mmCIF file of all heavy atoms in Angstrom:
data_model
loop_
_atom_site.group_PDB
_atom_site.id
_atom_site.type_symbol
_atom_site.label_atom_id
_atom_site.label_comp_id
_atom_site.label_asym_id
_atom_site.label_seq_id
_atom_site.Cartn_x
_atom_site.Cartn_y
_atom_site.Cartn_z
ATOM 1 N N GLU C 91 -2.771 6.938 1.338
ATOM 2 C CA GLU C 91 -1.341 7.025 1.693
ATOM 3 C C GLU C 91 -0.596 5.750 1.301
ATOM 4 O O GLU C 91 0.196 5.201 2.071
ATOM 5 C CB GLU C 91 -1.171 7.293 3.200
ATOM 6 C CG GLU C 91 -1.906 8.512 3.715
ATOM 7 C CD GLU C 91 -1.256 9.831 3.274
ATOM 8 O OE1 GLU C 91 -0.309 9.796 2.454
ATOM 9 O OE2 GLU C 91 -1.703 10.891 3.740
ATOM 10 N N TYR C 92 -0.835 5.299 0.087
ATOM 11 C CA TYR C 92 -0.283 4.009 -0.342
ATOM 12 C C TYR C 92 1.245 4.015 -0.383
ATOM 13 O O TYR C 92 1.879 2.971 -0.253
ATOM 14 C CB TYR C 92 -0.838 3.657 -1.721
ATOM 15 C CG TYR C 92 -0.557 2.241 -2.158
ATOM 16 C CD1 TYR C 92 -1.155 1.158 -1.528
ATOM 17 C CD2 TYR C 92 0.313 1.974 -3.218
ATOM 18 C CE1 TYR C 92 -0.910 -0.146 -1.925
ATOM 19 C CE2 TYR C 92 0.572 0.673 -3.619
ATOM 20 C CZ TYR C 92 -0.042 -0.385 -2.974
ATOM 21 O OH TYR C 92 0.219 -1.676 -3.369
ATOM 22 N N GLN C 93 1.851 5.206 -0.536
ATOM 23 C CA GLN C 93 3.317 5.272 -0.586
ATOM 24 C C GLN C 93 3.953 4.890 0.743
ATOM 25 O O GLN C 93 5.147 4.587 0.796
ATOM 26 C CB GLN C 93 3.787 6.674 -1.000
ATOM 27 C CG GLN C 93 3.741 7.722 0.098
ATOM 28 C CD GLN C 93 2.348 8.305 0.329
ATOM 29 O OE1 GLN C 93 1.434 8.003 -0.424
ATOM 30 N NE2 GLN C 93 2.191 9.141 1.340
ATOM 31 N N ASP C 94 3.185 4.901 1.811
ATOM 32 C CA ASP C 94 3.724 4.580 3.130
ATOM 33 C C ASP C 94 3.254 3.224 3.643
ATOM 34 O O ASP C 94 3.288 2.959 4.846
ATOM 35 C CB ASP C 94 3.364 5.683 4.141
ATOM 36 C CG ASP C 94 4.265 6.900 3.993
ATOM 37 O OD1 ASP C 94 5.471 6.704 3.745
ATOM 38 O OD2 ASP C 94 3.774 8.030 4.118
ATOM 39 N N THR C 95 2.823 2.353 2.736
ATOM 40 C CA THR C 95 2.483 0.994 3.140
ATOM 41 C C THR C 95 3.750 0.135 3.162
ATOM 42 O O THR C 95 4.719 0.412 2.458
ATOM 43 C CB THR C 95 1.470 0.352 2.169
ATOM 44 O OG1 THR C 95 1.976 0.439 0.827
ATOM 45 C CG2 THR C 95 0.124 1.040 2.258
ATOM 46 N N SER C 96 3.727 -0.896 3.983
ATOM 47 C CA SER C 96 4.838 -1.838 4.056
ATOM 48 C C SER C 96 4.572 -2.992 3.093
ATOM 49 O O SER C 96 3.494 -3.103 2.497
ATOM 50 C CB SER C 96 4.984 -2.365 5.480
ATOM 51 O OG SER C 96 3.836 -3.119 5.835
ATOM 52 N N LYS C 97 5.558 -3.873 2.986
ATOM 53 C CA LYS C 97 5.386 -5.027 2.110
ATOM 54 C C LYS C 97 4.230 -5.896 2.578
ATOM 55 O O LYS C 97 3.409 -6.353 1.753
ATOM 56 C CB LYS C 97 6.670 -5.863 2.053
ATOM 57 C CG LYS C 97 6.582 -7.062 1.106
ATOM 58 C CD LYS C 97 7.841 -7.893 1.111
ATOM 59 C CE LYS C 97 7.761 -9.009 0.055
ATOM 60 N NZ LYS C 97 6.584 -9.879 0.206
ATOM 61 N N VAL C 98 4.135 -6.146 3.874
ATOM 62 C CA VAL C 98 3.065 -7.010 4.365
ATOM 63 C C VAL C 98 1.699 -6.376 4.118
ATOM 64 O O VAL C 98 0.729 -7.067 3.777
ATOM 65 C CB VAL C 98 3.275 -7.340 5.865
ATOM 66 C CG1 VAL C 98 3.114 -6.123 6.754
ATOM 67 C CG2 VAL C 98 2.313 -8.438 6.313
ATOM 68 N N GLN C 99 1.606 -5.049 4.238
ATOM 69 C CA GLN C 99 0.332 -4.378 3.964
ATOM 70 C C GLN C 99 -0.038 -4.467 2.485
ATOM 71 O O GLN C 99 -1.195 -4.705 2.142
ATOM 72 C CB GLN C 99 0.412 -2.925 4.419
ATOM 73 C CG GLN C 99 0.454 -2.762 5.930
ATOM 74 C CD GLN C 99 0.768 -1.350 6.361
ATOM 75 O OE1 GLN C 99 1.480 -0.613 5.666
ATOM 76 N NE2 GLN C 99 0.277 -0.954 7.523
ATOM 77 N N ALA C 100 0.945 -4.262 1.611
ATOM 78 C CA ALA C 100 0.681 -4.369 0.177
ATOM 79 C C ALA C 100 0.270 -5.792 -0.195
ATOM 80 O O ALA C 100 -0.627 -6.004 -1.029
ATOM 81 C CB ALA C 100 1.914 -3.949 -0.612
ATOM 82 N N ASP C 101 0.907 -6.785 0.435
ATOM 83 C CA ASP C 101 0.545 -8.184 0.169
ATOM 84 C C ASP C 101 -0.891 -8.469 0.602
ATOM 85 O O ASP C 101 -1.631 -9.182 -0.092
ATOM 86 C CB ASP C 101 1.499 -9.125 0.911
ATOM 87 C CG ASP C 101 2.909 -9.131 0.316
ATOM 88 O OD1 ASP C 101 3.075 -8.625 -0.817
ATOM 89 O OD2 ASP C 101 3.835 -9.621 0.986
ATOM 90 N N ILE C 102 -1.287 -7.919 1.749
ATOM 91 C CA ILE C 102 -2.652 -8.106 2.236
ATOM 92 C C ILE C 102 -3.656 -7.548 1.236
ATOM 93 O O ILE C 102 -4.658 -8.189 0.887
ATOM 94 C CB ILE C 102 -2.830 -7.439 3.621
ATOM 95 C CG1 ILE C 102 -2.086 -8.234 4.699
ATOM 96 C CG2 ILE C 102 -4.309 -7.301 3.986
ATOM 97 C CD1 ILE C 102 -1.967 -7.510 6.022
ATOM 98 N N ILE C 103 -3.390 -6.338 0.759
ATOM 99 C CA ILE C 103 -4.300 -5.705 -0.200
ATOM 100 C C ILE C 103 -4.377 -6.510 -1.492
ATOM 101 O O ILE C 103 -5.460 -6.693 -2.072
ATOM 102 C CB ILE C 103 -3.861 -4.258 -0.473
ATOM 103 C CG1 ILE C 103 -4.071 -3.400 0.778
ATOM 104 C CG2 ILE C 103 -4.619 -3.668 -1.658
ATOM 105 C CD1 ILE C 103 -5.517 -3.324 1.251
ATOM 106 N N ASP C 104 -3.228 -7.011 -1.964
ATOM 107 C CA ASP C 104 -3.235 -7.816 -3.190
ATOM 108 C C ASP C 104 -4.089 -9.067 -3.015
ATOM 109 O O ASP C 104 -4.815 -9.472 -3.932
ATOM 110 C CB ASP C 104 -1.802 -8.210 -3.571
ATOM 111 C CG ASP C 104 -0.993 -7.032 -4.092
ATOM 112 O OD1 ASP C 104 -1.597 -5.993 -4.422
ATOM 113 O OD2 ASP C 104 0.243 -7.151 -4.168
ATOM 114 N N LEU C 105 -4.012 -9.686 -1.836
ATOM 115 C CA LEU C 105 -4.822 -10.882 -1.572
ATOM 116 C C LEU C 105 -6.312 -10.533 -1.548
ATOM 117 O O LEU C 105 -7.138 -11.243 -2.126
ATOM 118 C CB LEU C 105 -4.405 -11.516 -0.247
ATOM 119 C CG LEU C 105 -3.057 -12.256 -0.248
ATOM 120 C CD1 LEU C 105 -2.571 -12.497 1.180
ATOM 121 C CD2 LEU C 105 -3.181 -13.585 -0.994
ATOM 122 N N LEU C 106 -6.651 -9.436 -0.888
ATOM 123 C CA LEU C 106 -8.058 -9.042 -0.795
ATOM 124 C C LEU C 106 -8.638 -8.659 -2.153
ATOM 125 O O LEU C 106 -9.836 -8.829 -2.401
ATOM 126 C CB LEU C 106 -8.204 -7.869 0.186
ATOM 127 C CG LEU C 106 -7.963 -8.180 1.665
ATOM 128 C CD1 LEU C 106 -7.972 -6.887 2.484
ATOM 129 C CD2 LEU C 106 -9.008 -9.154 2.209
ATOM 130 N N ALA C 107 -7.793 -8.113 -3.023
ATOM 131 C CA ALA C 107 -8.257 -7.668 -4.338
ATOM 132 C C ALA C 107 -8.187 -8.772 -5.391
ATOM 133 O O ALA C 107 -8.504 -8.534 -6.561
ATOM 134 C CB ALA C 107 -7.420 -6.469 -4.801
ATOM 135 N N SER C 108 -7.797 -9.980 -4.979
ATOM 136 C CA SER C 108 -7.556 -11.047 -5.945
ATOM 137 C C SER C 108 -8.828 -11.550 -6.625
ATOM 138 O O SER C 108 -8.763 -12.159 -7.697
ATOM 139 C CB SER C 108 -6.839 -12.215 -5.256
ATOM 140 O OG SER C 108 -7.628 -12.738 -4.192
ATOM 141 N N ARG C 109 -9.979 -11.274 -6.049
ATOM 142 C CA ARG C 109 -11.239 -11.771 -6.617
ATOM 143 C C ARG C 109 -11.845 -10.777 -7.605
ATOM 144 O O ARG C 109 -12.124 -11.115 -8.757
ATOM 145 C CB ARG C 109 -12.223 -12.065 -5.488
ATOM 146 C CG ARG C 109 -13.645 -12.406 -5.932
ATOM 147 C CD ARG C 109 -13.782 -13.830 -6.387
ATOM 148 N NE ARG C 109 -15.169 -14.158 -6.696
ATOM 149 C CZ ARG C 109 -16.044 -14.589 -5.788
ATOM 150 N NH1 ARG C 109 -15.670 -14.761 -4.533
ATOM 151 N NH2 ARG C 109 -17.283 -14.877 -6.144
ATOM 152 N N HIS C 110 -12.045 -9.532 -7.171
ATOM 153 C CA HIS C 110 -12.765 -8.566 -8.005
ATOM 154 C C HIS C 110 -11.845 -7.602 -8.752
ATOM 155 O O HIS C 110 -12.284 -6.979 -9.733
ATOM 156 C CB HIS C 110 -13.747 -7.757 -7.142
ATOM 157 C CG HIS C 110 -14.813 -8.590 -6.512
ATOM 158 N ND1 HIS C 110 -15.814 -9.195 -7.237
ATOM 159 C CD2 HIS C 110 -15.035 -8.932 -5.208
ATOM 160 C CE1 HIS C 110 -16.613 -9.861 -6.421
ATOM 161 N NE2 HIS C 110 -16.165 -9.716 -5.189
ATOM 162 N N HIS C 111 -10.620 -7.412 -8.266
ATOM 163 C CA HIS C 111 -9.625 -6.538 -8.923
ATOM 164 C C HIS C 111 -10.043 -5.070 -8.968
ATOM 165 O O HIS C 111 -9.498 -4.298 -9.751
ATOM 166 C CB HIS C 111 -9.333 -7.022 -10.353
ATOM 167 C CG HIS C 111 -8.879 -8.442 -10.423
ATOM 168 N ND1 HIS C 111 -7.620 -8.845 -10.046
ATOM 169 C CD2 HIS C 111 -9.544 -9.569 -10.810
ATOM 170 C CE1 HIS C 111 -7.520 -10.155 -10.204
ATOM 171 N NE2 HIS C 111 -8.666 -10.618 -10.658
ATOM 172 N N ASN C 112 -10.989 -4.698 -8.126
ATOM 173 C CA ASN C 112 -11.405 -3.292 -8.073
ATOM 174 C C ASN C 112 -10.655 -2.608 -6.935
ATOM 175 O O ASN C 112 -11.159 -2.482 -5.819
ATOM 176 C CB ASN C 112 -12.913 -3.173 -7.874
ATOM 177 C CG ASN C 112 -13.687 -3.701 -9.064
ATOM 178 O OD1 ASN C 112 -13.265 -3.552 -10.210
ATOM 179 N ND2 ASN C 112 -14.816 -4.340 -8.812
ATOM 180 N N LEU C 113 -9.447 -2.186 -7.235
ATOM 181 C CA LEU C 113 -8.554 -1.626 -6.224
ATOM 182 C C LEU C 113 -8.125 -0.225 -6.635
ATOM 183 O O LEU C 113 -7.564 -0.043 -7.719
ATOM 184 C CB LEU C 113 -7.322 -2.525 -6.065
ATOM 185 C CG LEU C 113 -6.163 -1.987 -5.232
ATOM 186 C CD1 LEU C 113 -6.594 -1.734 -3.791
ATOM 187 C CD2 LEU C 113 -4.988 -2.967 -5.265
ATOM 188 N N MET C 114 -8.423 0.755 -5.786
ATOM 189 C CA MET C 114 -7.927 2.118 -6.010
ATOM 190 C C MET C 114 -6.938 2.454 -4.902
ATOM 191 O O MET C 114 -7.301 2.451 -3.722
ATOM 192 C CB MET C 114 -9.060 3.148 -6.012
ATOM 193 C CG MET C 114 -8.535 4.595 -6.054
ATOM 194 S SD MET C 114 -9.831 5.873 -6.052
ATOM 195 C CE MET C 114 -10.258 5.876 -7.802
ATOM 196 N N VAL C 115 -5.703 2.735 -5.271
ATOM 197 C CA VAL C 115 -4.700 3.170 -4.294
ATOM 198 C C VAL C 115 -4.369 4.628 -4.575
ATOM 199 O O VAL C 115 -4.221 5.038 -5.731
ATOM 200 C CB VAL C 115 -3.425 2.292 -4.335
ATOM 201 C CG1 VAL C 115 -3.779 0.854 -4.006
ATOM 202 C CG2 VAL C 115 -2.710 2.383 -5.666
ATOM 203 N N VAL C 116 -4.268 5.409 -3.514
ATOM 204 C CA VAL C 116 -4.029 6.840 -3.628
ATOM 205 C C VAL C 116 -2.779 7.196 -2.837
ATOM 206 O O VAL C 116 -2.626 6.775 -1.678
ATOM 207 C CB VAL C 116 -5.229 7.651 -3.088
ATOM 208 C CG1 VAL C 116 -4.994 9.147 -3.252
ATOM 209 C CG2 VAL C 116 -6.513 7.227 -3.802
ATOM 210 N N GLY C 117 -1.890 7.942 -3.433
ATOM 211 C CA GLY C 117 -0.683 8.335 -2.725
ATOM 212 C C GLY C 117 0.222 9.169 -3.607
ATOM 213 O O GLY C 117 -0.128 9.530 -4.732
ATOM 214 N N ASP C 118 1.387 9.480 -3.083
ATOM 215 C CA ASP C 118 2.365 10.314 -3.791
ATOM 216 C C ASP C 118 3.757 9.764 -3.502
ATOM 217 O O ASP C 118 4.209 9.778 -2.356
ATOM 218 C CB ASP C 118 2.247 11.767 -3.315
ATOM 219 C CG ASP C 118 3.196 12.705 -4.052
ATOM 220 O OD1 ASP C 118 3.935 12.230 -4.943
ATOM 221 O OD2 ASP C 118 3.209 13.905 -3.738
ATOM 222 N N ASP C 119 4.418 9.273 -4.542
ATOM 223 C CA ASP C 119 5.750 8.687 -4.358
ATOM 224 C C ASP C 119 6.758 9.701 -3.845
ATOM 225 O O ASP C 119 7.807 9.324 -3.317
ATOM 226 C CB ASP C 119 6.252 8.097 -5.674
ATOM 227 C CG ASP C 119 6.174 9.084 -6.837
ATOM 228 O OD1 ASP C 119 5.066 9.573 -7.117
ATOM 229 O OD2 ASP C 119 7.217 9.377 -7.443
ATOM 230 N N SER C 120 6.455 10.989 -3.943
ATOM 231 C CA SER C 120 7.376 12.024 -3.470
ATOM 232 C C SER C 120 7.155 12.391 -2.003
ATOM 233 O O SER C 120 7.812 13.286 -1.488
ATOM 234 C CB SER C 120 7.228 13.289 -4.323
ATOM 235 O OG SER C 120 7.582 13.031 -5.659
ATOM 236 N N GLN C 121 6.231 11.720 -1.332
ATOM 237 C CA GLN C 121 5.939 12.060 0.056
ATOM 238 C C GLN C 121 6.115 10.881 1.010
ATOM 239 O O GLN C 121 5.575 10.887 2.119
ATOM 240 C CB GLN C 121 4.503 12.586 0.185
ATOM 241 C CG GLN C 121 4.258 13.908 -0.523
ATOM 242 C CD GLN C 121 2.904 14.500 -0.161
ATOM 243 O OE1 GLN C 121 2.681 14.933 0.965
ATOM 244 N NE2 GLN C 121 1.992 14.500 -1.116
ATOM 245 N N SER C 122 6.873 9.880 0.608
ATOM 246 C CA SER C 122 7.080 8.723 1.477
ATOM 247 C C SER C 122 8.114 9.043 2.544
ATOM 248 O O SER C 122 9.250 9.397 2.227
ATOM 249 C CB SER C 122 7.543 7.523 0.646
ATOM 250 O OG SER C 122 7.731 6.401 1.481
ATOM 251 N N ILE C 123 7.736 8.923 3.827
ATOM 252 C CA ILE C 123 8.642 9.321 4.914
ATOM 253 C C ILE C 123 8.776 8.265 5.999
ATOM 254 O O ILE C 123 9.457 8.483 6.994
ATOM 255 C CB ILE C 123 8.174 10.640 5.562
ATOM 256 C CG1 ILE C 123 6.780 10.480 6.173
ATOM 257 C CG2 ILE C 123 8.202 11.784 4.568
ATOM 258 C CD1 ILE C 123 6.315 11.673 6.979
ATOM 259 N N TYR C 124 8.150 7.088 5.822
ATOM 260 C CA TYR C 124 8.144 6.112 6.912
ATOM 261 C C TYR C 124 8.974 4.865 6.611
ATOM 262 O O TYR C 124 8.688 3.790 7.128
ATOM 263 C CB TYR C 124 6.707 5.719 7.260
ATOM 264 C CG TYR C 124 5.976 6.809 8.003
ATOM 265 C CD1 TYR C 124 5.081 7.645 7.354
ATOM 266 C CD2 TYR C 124 6.215 7.020 9.359
ATOM 267 C CE1 TYR C 124 4.426 8.666 8.038
ATOM 268 C CE2 TYR C 124 5.563 8.031 10.044
ATOM 269 C CZ TYR C 124 4.670 8.845 9.379
ATOM 270 O OH TYR C 124 4.037 9.843 10.053
ATOM 271 N N SER C 125 10.019 5.000 5.802
ATOM 272 C CA SER C 125 10.858 3.836 5.493
ATOM 273 C C SER C 125 11.525 3.280 6.748
ATOM 274 O O SER C 125 11.782 2.077 6.848
ATOM 275 C CB SER C 125 11.919 4.202 4.454
ATOM 276 O OG SER C 125 12.754 5.230 4.933
ATOM 277 N N PHE C 126 11.797 4.149 7.740
ATOM 278 C CA PHE C 126 12.425 3.674 8.977
ATOM 279 C C PHE C 126 11.521 2.715 9.736
ATOM 280 O O PHE C 126 11.974 1.971 10.609
ATOM 281 C CB PHE C 126 12.787 4.870 9.877
ATOM 282 C CG PHE C 126 11.604 5.597 10.451
ATOM 283 C CD1 PHE C 126 11.108 5.268 11.695
ATOM 284 C CD2 PHE C 126 10.992 6.617 9.740
ATOM 285 C CE1 PHE C 126 10.018 5.936 12.230
ATOM 286 C CE2 PHE C 126 9.906 7.308 10.264
ATOM 287 C CZ PHE C 126 9.419 6.963 11.512
ATOM 288 N N ARG C 127 10.233 2.712 9.404
ATOM 289 C CA ARG C 127 9.270 1.842 10.068
ATOM 290 C C ARG C 127 8.893 0.648 9.196
ATOM 291 O O ARG C 127 8.004 -0.125 9.553
ATOM 292 C CB ARG C 127 8.019 2.655 10.406
ATOM 293 C CG ARG C 127 7.603 2.521 11.841
ATOM 294 C CD ARG C 127 6.675 3.583 12.302
ATOM 295 N NE ARG C 127 5.557 3.888 11.420
ATOM 296 C CZ ARG C 127 4.671 4.850 11.652
ATOM 297 N NH1 ARG C 127 4.784 5.586 12.740
ATOM 298 N NH2 ARG C 127 3.695 5.102 10.812
ATOM 299 N N GLY C 128 9.572 0.531 8.050
ATOM 300 C CA GLY C 128 9.292 -0.606 7.174
ATOM 301 C C GLY C 128 8.455 -0.265 5.962
ATOM 302 O O GLY C 128 8.183 -1.140 5.128
ATOM 303 N N ALA C 129 8.022 1.007 5.831
ATOM 304 C CA ALA C 129 7.265 1.406 4.644
ATOM 305 C C ALA C 129 8.170 1.328 3.416
ATOM 306 O O ALA C 129 9.366 1.580 3.493
ATOM 307 C CB ALA C 129 6.723 2.823 4.810
ATOM 308 N N ASN C 130 7.579 0.980 2.284
ATOM 309 C CA ASN C 130 8.360 0.808 1.058
ATOM 310 C C ASN C 130 7.653 1.504 -0.091
ATOM 311 O O ASN C 130 6.612 1.046 -0.564
ATOM 312 C CB ASN C 130 8.523 -0.686 0.765
ATOM 313 C CG ASN C 130 9.484 -0.950 -0.373
ATOM 314 O OD1 ASN C 130 9.905 -0.029 -1.074
ATOM 315 N ND2 ASN C 130 9.830 -2.201 -0.578
#
């Protein structure tokens, strides 16, 4: 559900993936519904 992550969550993932770069994110840009909670 990567489309419903917030900026701070995306930043955390980028930091964790900074060593190995093996990052798979799964989501659908057409199903984002949590912007009212800070999702971007």
Side-chain angles (χ1 to χ4, degrees):
E91 305 287 7
Y92 191 68
Q93 78 280 353
D94 282 321
T95 54
S96 65
K97 182 182 185 304
V98 67
Q99 290 170 329
D101 289 346
I102 288 168
I103 292 300
D104 288 345
L105 287 164
L106 291 173
S108 60
R109 172 80 175 273
H110 297 291
H111 304 286
N112 294 324
L113 170 62
M114 172 180 278
V115 299
V116 182
D118 182 1
D119 52 302
S120 297
Q121 294 190 69
S122 181
I123 61 173
Y124 286 101
S125 60
F126 68 93
R127 231 162 46 183
N130 188 350

